[in-house]
Structure formats: C-alpha cells, structure tokens
Amino acid sequence: MGRRDDVVTPDSWMPRGEALCSDSHPPLAVWQGIPGESCLVHVYAPGNNRGLARWEKAVRQPHPHRVDPPCERYSVCGGCPWMHMDAEGQRSARLDLVRAAYAEYGLQAHAPTELRASPDGLAGYRHLAKFAVGRSDRGNPRVGAFGRSTRNVVSIPDCPVITPVLREAMHTVAHLVIEQDIWPYDPEKQKGVLRYVVMRQSRATGKLLVTLVGARKSPKFEDLALALTQKLGSVAGVHLHVNRSPGNALFEAGEDGGIPTVRLEGDRHIEEHVAGLRLPIGAGDFFQTNPAVAELIIRDLEEWIPADVAVVDLYSGVGGLSLAAARRAGWALGVEVVETAVNRARGAASLNSVPAEFLVGEVVEVLPEIRRRLSGRQPMVVVNPARRGLEPGVIDGILALAPQRLVYISCNPISQARDLGALVERGFTVVHTRAYDMFPNTPHVEVMAVLSGPGGAPQASARPPRRRVVRKQ
Ligand SMILES: C[S@@+](CC[C@H](N)C(=O)[O-])C[C@H]1O[C@@H](n2cnc3c(N)ncnc32)[C@H](O)[C@@H]1O
C-alpha cells in the first residue's frame, strides 16, 4: 500500500518519541502523535514491518496536553520530538517510557513516579550544542542541524532550546564560514574541511568553549578561531578535533575513548560550578548538557551517601559525582577509562580540596584491584555508565566488593532496567528511583536508582582506605 491518509489512535510511545499505533498493519510510528488521541495522519513511508506517518490533525478533541510546537523548525529539524506537548504531557510521557522499560524486566513496581523538572525550564536549557556544517540546496554553506531522518543540514536560526549565547555564537560561526570561504565537508565527495562545530557554555560563568571538528588540519581553522575570539567576548577558547572517519560520526575517538583536541586560541577549559563544586571542563570532555539538572542529581545523590563510607564512583568522567561523594563521605575513588578526563578530575579534586582519588582504566579491569584495596569494607558504589549500560563482568566485580548500597544513574532506562533486573537476580533490592528532566522536549530522561546490597544491614566503614594509586597496565 502506498502513501495515504488514515485515521488512527496511537496507543504507546516509541523510544525515539513517535507515538506508536500497534493496531495498524503494519504498525505505524506517528510523528507528532500522542497516544490516546484519534488523529488524521499522512502515511509517507508505508514500510513492511513499520510504517512512518505524520500527524495532520486531531479528529475529535485534541489531546489535553497538545500545544503548537513553539519552534517553526519543529518537524524539519526533529531534535525536539515532544515539543508538541506541554510540560505535564511531556512529564507523564517520559515516566510512561521508563515504566515500559522497567516492565520488560518485571520491575514496573520500581519505576519512578516522580520526574524532577529542569530548573531552567523547557527553553534555553541546553548548554552544549552540536552544529552540523553542510550546504543548502543552492550550495551555500550552512551551520545548523541534521534534518529529521535525513543527513541534510537544515538551518535552525531561532533554536529555542539552546542558550541565547550559543544561538548568537552559531550565527557568528555561520557568517564567518561564508566570509572566510571555509568549505563544509562533503562525505560523499570527501571534499571540504569543516564537519561540525561543538560549543559548550558554562552556566556559571557564561563563557564558551568551541571545538571545531575538521576533516583534516587546515590553516583555515586558525583564522576561524582567531576571528571567533575577536568577535565574541564570551568565547574563552577554540580547539580543533580532526575526524577523518567516513560516515557522519561527530568525533573520532582515540583508543581509550577520549576525544583528542588541539588548542587553537584561548583557554584550555572553561569552569562550571555545580552543587558548590568548581569543575574545569575541556574540549572533548563529557559533561551533562543541562548543568542545572546535573546539580539536582548531585544534591539527591548526596542524600544517599552515609558519612564515613568508602565511595567507589565507576565511570567517573571529569569527576563531579566523585567529588560530591568525597566531600560528603570523607573519601571517594573514581574510575574512568579516558585519561584526559581523569587528569581533569584530579585537578578538580585539588581545586576543591576534596579527598577524591581517580584511577585510569576499564571498570571491569580495575574492579579486582579495588576489591583488594577495600577488602572487608562494604563500600557504597555509584555507577553512571554510557548509554549501553554495564559491560559483561561489571556486576560480578561490583558484587565482589560487597557494597552496602549501589546508586545507578543512567541516561538510558532500557539498559538501566536490564542491569537492574540482573542486579535484583543477584540479591540487590531497589529501594528508590527518581527521574530527572535532563533533556526537555525529547523522550530522553535521566534516572537514578538506589539499591541496597545483598549483604543485609549496611555498615559504614570508619576510615578511608590506604592511599595507593592503581595504574592501567
Ligand atoms: C555517562 S558518562 C558519566 C560521567 C560522569 N559520571 C559525570 O557525571 O559527568 C560515562 C563515562 O564513562 C566512561 N566510560 C565508558 N566506558 C568505560 C569503561 N568501560 N570503563 C571506565 N570508564 C568508561 C566514559 O568515558 C564517560 O566519561
């Protein structure tokens, strides 16, 4: 069956934010749909296993949480699939998605019922922006976003979810790219130099760190970096990352997963302030998109940390959670595979005078050494892995530490639910969960789960363990 209009009533959410109509044959993913609302849709890609449709209008009453998306590029860009719902509609949709993920592993009774809102609201909350560089249909250079389901770069001049300073910086880069005749990279022809521009703004200081992602080195980037710092007082530093990989990946990670960069202009890092901690963040470092929500998570985490317990923070990045834990508990040990992130975290520990230590290495490889070091101490373990969740062997390694408590923070409820299911099978008990609106207008959500260890009553360890540095072999 070809393209057509149809009347359907979606029944559930899909992880990427479309509303799924499972009654249709084949099931339909409806862009801008809302489960429970009967609507006229245009089926633009009928498909064999799943069709794709676009909401046209509600056939009876519009859903009570439906709003006109407050962005005229809503459907063209596709970066904010839930902008067609008000805050309450988004809140309950996000909790529905997490509940469905938890239900897959029999954990629906433990799914969070509370979602902490983004303190910066639904607009202007993004302090990290990743702009694609390409060409318009007329061949003019363009700085914007990949379009919904395409690899064409679309312009997003009024993007409401990034901060106003990032928006201004995007316009400045777009003008300079034209003025300085910098060619956008074309992956098909393998011509041109500039692929992406990544910018982070510190919520605390307002300063920007810019990373130009080039297909190769070029003197053009030095000119662009100089002009950017001269034109925008908010730009603290400009760096270059060279990504020679085919395809459309943003970065080409080094062997340890780090993003190598070279400084072209200005500072090596900007400083973010979260929960009273000063965190230097460099180009290529991972740090949360929404620092105000990162602060909520740290504050909540602190409440679950008993005094005088040894805290092990796995997947510690630039160290925000480790530092908060060390400040509260008297000592914490972070583990992170990216060496530059560990160096940043060590610097932050000294900047904040907090007794946190950091080890470089793969979690699964470092855990046995931590076990020897903490022997008999029943630590508290914090994990905040990447989207794929815990690697094979990590749960065994955590169990061997006999933790009294485990806090699992994740941006992917699907892998988190899988891992929580495995942890419950191994004797852990879920005692608390809470969701956080880290990414308003999208189906993405951050979830914190607190578990008690299989060993029964928690015992706090009285003193921090002997200092000893474990290095990656
Ligand atoms: C979601 S980030 C969490 C960062 C940090 N907890 C924070 O709040 O900013 C996941 C981190 O895990 C690191 N990572 C990924 N796989 C790892 C592994 N197998 N062993 C150690 N670290 C890993 C990544 O480099 C990244 O810094």
Side-chain angles (χ1 to χ4, degrees):
M1 207 184 294
R3 292 164 175 245
R4 63 187 194 277
D5 286 347
D6 216 343
V7 171
V8 299
T9 306
D11 48 83
S12 56
W13 288 112
M14 297 182 64
R16 288 178 180 218
E18 297 97 337
L20 178 68
C21 185
S22 42
D23 277 356
S24 302
H25 303 287
L28 274 184
V30 181
W31 170 259
Q32 209 177 340
I34 303 181
E37 178 193 69
S38 297
C39 55
L40 179 71
V41 298
H42 177 66
V43 183
Y44 61 90
N48 290 328
N49 300 321
R50 178 159 301 154
L52 302 178
R54 190 177 53 236
W55 179 91
E56 297 285 323
K57 63 177 182 182
V59 291
R60 285 186 282 277
Q61 278 293 91
H63 192 280
H65 294 302
R66 180 175 288 285
V67 295
D68 284 336
C71 173
E72 61 172 34
R73 310 299 282 164
Y74 165 72
S75 279
V76 179
C77 159
C80 298
W82 282 359
M83 228 178 212
H84 64 308
M85 289 188 288
D86 62 14
E88 175 51 28
Q90 292 188 25
R91 188 192 74 84
S92 71
R94 238 170 248 122
L95 290 174
D96 283 353
L97 262 186
V98 180
R99 197 175 311 113
Y102 274 47
E104 286 286 314
Y105 297 90
L107 296 172
Q108 56 277 23
H110 297 293
T113 53
E114 186 194 352
L115 177 105
R116 294 200 69 183
S118 164
D120 287 345
L122 304 191
Y125 73 86
R126 279 196 78 106
H127 285 67
L128 173 67
K130 300 168 183 172
F131 301 114
V133 183
R135 289 188 186 274
S136 68
D137 292 345
R138 291 183 180 170
N140 298 324
R142 179 176 270 174
V143 177
F146 285 132
R148 183 166 71 92
S149 334
T150 77
R151 286 286 149 182
N152 297 334
V153 176
V154 299
S155 62
I156 46 168
D158 303 314
C159 177
V161 295
I162 58 178
T163 67
V165 171
L166 286 172
R167 215 158 37 231
E168 186 198 354
M170 170 180 69
H171 290 291
T172 305
V173 172
H175 284 129
L176 287 171
V177 162
I178 294 170
E179 200 175 292
Q180 300 189 339
D181 194 24
I182 296 174
W183 283 36
Y185 178 69
D186 179 333
E188 277 168 27
K189 297 184 185 145
Q190 298 189 4
K191 286 205 167 134
V193 289
L194 185 58
R195 301 183 77 153
Y196 303 97
V197 180
V198 179
M199 300 187 201
R200 174 177 289 284
Q201 186 186 12
S202 162
R203 185 169 182 265
T205 67
K207 290 291 183 189
L208 289 186
L209 201 60
V210 179
T211 307
L212 307 174
V213 180
R216 56 184 161 81
K217 287 188 179 161
S218 159
K220 293 264 179 194
F221 294 136
E222 278 143 44
D223 298 343
L224 177 57
L226 183 63
L228 261 175
T229 45
Q230 285 171 345
K231 281 196 183 259
L232 290 175
S234 52
V235 173
V238 183
H239 296 239
L240 173 68
H241 166 73
V242 176
N243 175 357
R244 293 190 169 88
S245 66
N248 290 301
L250 177 58
F251 294 126
E252 187 175 9
E255 255 181 32
D256 66 356
I259 312 300
T261 58
V262 290
R263 184 168 60 100
L264 300 176
E265 281 294 328
D267 297 342
R268 294 190 184 282
H269 61 256
I270 48 173
E271 198 173 289
E272 189 56 279
H273 300 173
V274 181
L277 293 165
R278 296 170 61 188
L279 297 179
I281 300 172
D285 285 346
F286 170 87
F287 190 70
Q288 301 291 6
T289 301
N290 189 335
V293 173
E295 168 141 347
L296 295 182
I297 293 174
I298 287 184
R299 291 295 186 202
D300 283 353
L301 171 67
E302 283 174 326
E303 296 202 353
W304 288 99
I305 302 177
D308 292 331
V309 69
V311 181
V312 178
D313 175 26
L314 304 176
Y315 310 94
S316 51
V318 294
L321 302 178
S322 310
L323 264 55
R327 185 175 59 183
R328 172 94 175 174
W331 183 80
L333 179 64
V335 179
E336 164 62 46
V337 72
V338 176
E339 190 161 6
T340 47
V342 167
N343 290 338
R344 199 87 61 203
R346 287 177 178 150
S350 119
L351 184 68
N352 292 277
S353 307
V354 164
E357 289 178 61
F358 293 90
L359 307 180
V360 185
E362 296 265 351
V363 163
V364 76
E365 286 172 16
V366 175
L367 274 167
E369 180 60 35
I370 297 177
R371 180 189 173 198
R372 284 191 285 281
R373 204 172 159 189
L374 297 188
S375 132
R377 285 182 185 278
Q378 289 204 294
M380 167 162 166
V381 176
V382 177
V383 296
N384 182 202
R387 285 190 70 75
R388 63 177 176 272
L390 304 179
E391 299 88 17
V394 170
I395 290 181
D396 285 339
I398 291 174
L399 262 173
L401 299 180
Q404 55 174 276
R405 189 172 286 167
L406 171 67
V407 176
Y408 190 142
I409 300 167
S410 170
C411 61
N412 183 357
I414 295 175
S415 58
Q416 188 194 39
R418 177 202 66 208
D419 293 341
L420 292 183
L423 285 158
V424 166
E425 272 181 18
R426 309 290 294 273
F428 283 84
T429 307
V430 181
V431 295
H432 166 87
T433 53
R434 183 178 268 176
Y436 298 83
D437 195 4
M438 181 75 85
F439 316 97
N441 304 307
T442 80
H444 300 293
V445 59
E446 199 84 8
V447 182
M448 178 191 290
V450 181
L451 297 89
S452 60
Q459 286 171 20
S461 45
R463 65 187 163 80
R466 192 161 54 94
R467 288 173 74 92
R468 197 172 125 209
V469 176
V470 182
R471 294 198 186 283
K472 198 175 174 189
Q473 296 300 304

